């Protein structure tokens, strides 16, 4: 699959540098470059790219204005490239795939392209499922109902209650009340805002029992209930903190920054 890409930056040298770094990626095709926001909006609407590398600080329309200006169409994926760390949270709020600091680090670029491939594959799969569902609804309504029922069963396979044996007692914990979970070896610390319990189980096994649409890993040893997040607070080196309903704060490591992007979408 070819990733049709537009580069947007008011500095020619920055565009040239990014072009050079993208050359090793055979599936990335640069179809146009733009040096201001107006050009970018026009190019995105006419070319309909899969991906846009977008500078934030530009005269006139900045990067965020470009995103806002193409919302009436099916927007592409955006990767913000900038010299300003303070824009990170707004980048996540714009559902950016990633946020790259200038000069672009090659390892971080490789990670970004892999995320783009994954997002595009997920989108294609979702689009194809929607098309199939629409066709089935017209020509075979019974099959369409069966497909919807199967999807409902898949959603229902995740736990709604977890039994936790702690301090000689068994607690039945409603999954929706869990704020976050922290790993400590083969034990899990489950936090519900006003209480904490210890469960003997591995992180991997517990993840399988929780709905990934609500519970996401934000750190090697931490899972968060996204419904319990009330604020995203920036930190250094591309990391950030999630402020939960109880006031507790959980660090999001750089490896899991795309989780925040999905959360604020």
């Amino acid at each position: 699959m070819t990733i049709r890409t537009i580069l947007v930056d008011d500095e020619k040298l920055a565009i040239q540098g990014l072009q050079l770094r993208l050359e090793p990626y055979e599936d990335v095709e640069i179809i146009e470059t733009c040096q201001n926001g107006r050009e970018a909006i026009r190019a995105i609407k006419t070319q309909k790219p899969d991906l846009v590398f977008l500078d934030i600080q530009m005269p006139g329309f900045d990067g965020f204005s470009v995103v806002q200006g193409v919302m009436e169409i099916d927007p592409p994926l955006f990767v913000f490239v900038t010299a300003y760390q303070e824009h990170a949270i707004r980048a996540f709020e714009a559902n950016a795939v990633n946020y790259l600091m200038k000069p672009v680090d090659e390892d971080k670029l490789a990670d970004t392209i892999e995320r783009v491939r994954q997002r595009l594959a997920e989108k294609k799969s979702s689009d194809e499922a929607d098309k199939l569902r629409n066709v089935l609804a017209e020509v075979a309504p019974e099959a369409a109902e069966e497909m919807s029922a199967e999807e409902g069963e898949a959603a229902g396979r995740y736990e709604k209650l977890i039994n936790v044996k702690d301090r000689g007692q068994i607690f039945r914990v409603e999954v929706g009340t869990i704020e976050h979970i922290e790993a400590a070896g083969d034990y899990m610390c489950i936090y519900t805002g006003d209480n904490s319990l210890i469960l003997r189980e591995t992180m991997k096994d517990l993840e399988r029992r929780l709905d990934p649409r609500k519970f996401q890993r934000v750190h090697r040893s931490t899972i968060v209930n996204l419904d319990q997040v009330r604020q995203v607070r920036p930190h250094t080196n591309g990391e950030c903190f999630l402020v939960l309903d109880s006031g507790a704060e959980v660090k999001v490591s750089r490896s899991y920054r795309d989780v925040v992007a999905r959360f604020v979408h």
Side-chain angles (χ1 to χ4, degrees):
M1 174 181 158
T2 300
I3 304 172
R4 301 174 69 254
T5 304
I6 290 177
L7 309 183
V8 183
D9 199 305
D10 62 328
E11 299 176 5
K12 286 185 178 180
L13 286 177
I15 288 181
Q16 291 169 1
L18 191 52
Q19 283 176 316
L20 286 173
R21 285 173 172 79
L22 288 169
E23 280 183 359
Y25 301 94
E26 295 180 358
D27 55 344
V28 176
E29 178 189 359
I30 300 173
I31 58 175
E32 192 162 340
T33 62
C34 305
Q35 288 189 261
N36 61 62
R38 289 185 184 277
E39 285 181 14
I41 292 173
R42 184 166 55 249
I44 292 168
K45 288 183 176 180
T46 56
Q47 300 277 9
K48 294 183 172 56
D50 302 304
L51 173 65
V52 176
F53 283 89
L54 182 60
D55 186 22
I56 293 179
Q57 293 285 85
M58 296 183 292
F61 284 85
D62 65 10
F64 298 116
S65 299
V66 171
V67 174
Q68 196 170 16
V70 297
M71 281 298 105
E72 74 266 18
I73 65 169
D74 185 14
L77 299 177
F78 288 98
V79 173
F80 286 108
V81 185
T82 180
Y84 301 93
Q85 177 70 37
E86 63 267 24
H87 294 301
I89 296 304
R90 286 192 67 193
F92 284 131
E93 290 172 348
N95 198 32
V97 175
N98 211 347
Y99 178 92
L100 300 176
M101 297 294 295
K102 295 180 180 177
V104 174
D105 178 83
E106 292 185 2
D107 289 339
K108 292 189 176 96
L109 181 61
D111 175 62
T112 298
I113 295 299
E114 190 54 42
R115 293 187 194 188
V116 168
R117 290 171 181 148
Q118 184 178 348
R119 287 267 199 108
L120 290 175
E122 289 171 356
K123 183 177 186 297
K124 182 179 179 182
S125 182
S126 175
D127 289 346
E128 288 176 353
D130 288 340
K131 289 176 184 176
L132 176 59
R133 198 175 290 108
N134 291 335
V135 171
L136 283 174
E138 292 181 9
V139 301
E142 291 181 3
E145 290 178 8
E146 186 176 335
M147 184 177 179
S148 297
E150 288 175 356
E151 289 175 349
E153 288 175 9
R157 72 174 179 266
Y158 299 109
E159 302 281 2
K160 291 182 173 57
L161 285 169
I162 292 179
N163 293 330
V164 181
K165 186 176 181 180
D166 187 2
R167 296 181 289 272
Q169 301 181 63
I170 296 178
F171 298 87
R172 290 175 62 77
V173 180
E174 290 187 22
V175 168
T177 66
I178 296 173
E179 273 200 343
H180 70 289
I181 302 165
E182 293 182 359
D186 289 338
Y187 291 88
M188 297 292 110
C189 300
I190 298 177
Y191 296 88
T192 61
D194 58 352
N195 198 10
S196 62
L197 298 167
I198 305 297
L199 174 67
R200 185 176 175 81
E201 190 166 348
T202 66
M203 178 75 83
K204 185 180 292 187
D205 288 339
L206 189 55
E207 271 190 303
R208 293 195 190 102
R209 300 169 63 189
L210 299 173
D211 188 343
R213 293 171 299 180
K214 292 188 176 182
F215 289 87
Q216 286 285 331
R217 187 92 69 99
V218 297
H219 190 278
R220 182 172 52 85
S221 59
T222 309
I223 296 174
V224 165
N225 181 351
L226 298 182
D227 287 344
Q228 299 272 355
V229 178
R230 73 180 186 200
Q231 184 184 349
V232 182
R233 189 167 63 78
H235 190 51
T236 58
N237 300 323
E239 297 177 333
C240 65
F241 283 94
L242 301 181
V243 182
L244 308 181
D245 283 340
S246 67
E249 295 188 357
V250 176
K251 182 185 281 189
V252 181
S253 67
R254 291 172 59 184
S255 302
Y256 294 95
R257 286 184 303 176
D258 57 322
V259 172
V260 182
R262 292 198 298 272
F263 161 65
V264 296
H265 178 50

